[in-house]
Amino acid sequence: MGIQDLIEGKKEWRAHQARVKALPPDYRIVYKEMQKYFFKVGPVDLPDGPLLPGIVDFFEEGVAAGKGVLELIGEDVAAFCDGLIKESRTNADVIQESLAGKPGTAGT
């Protein structure tokens, strides 16, 4: 990854964050919680993947339709997040795989 890639990535992230800040407060709160959740357990390709921008797209459409954020995703935010990544390889999978390969750990 070259310096130009880093600069472009930073520009994209700032543009993404500006879109998040433009959302209504309830949407921003839920988005931030989802983002924290995904950074903890989320898919391995989270930084470069389409998940976070896709959520912002979805939320912007919900705002335009006049819906509240919980109308879109339901009351259980974690369950909604899990549904979005159920087919993805997650950080938890990577950790589990690394532990399975070490002598003296469960699964060996």
Side-chain angles (χ1 to χ4, degrees), residues 73-86:
I73 67 168
E75 295 287 326
D76 191 341
V77 177
F80 181 80
C81 291
D82 287 340
L84 292 176
I85 61 170
K86 69 181 175 186

Side-chain angles (χ1 to χ4, degrees), residues 14 20 29 32 35 62 76 86 94-95 98 108:
R14 284 185 179 150
V20 171
I29 291 167
K32 293 291 185 185
Q35 185 181 33
D76 191 341
K86 69 181 175 186
V94 172
I95 293 168
S98 71
T108 57

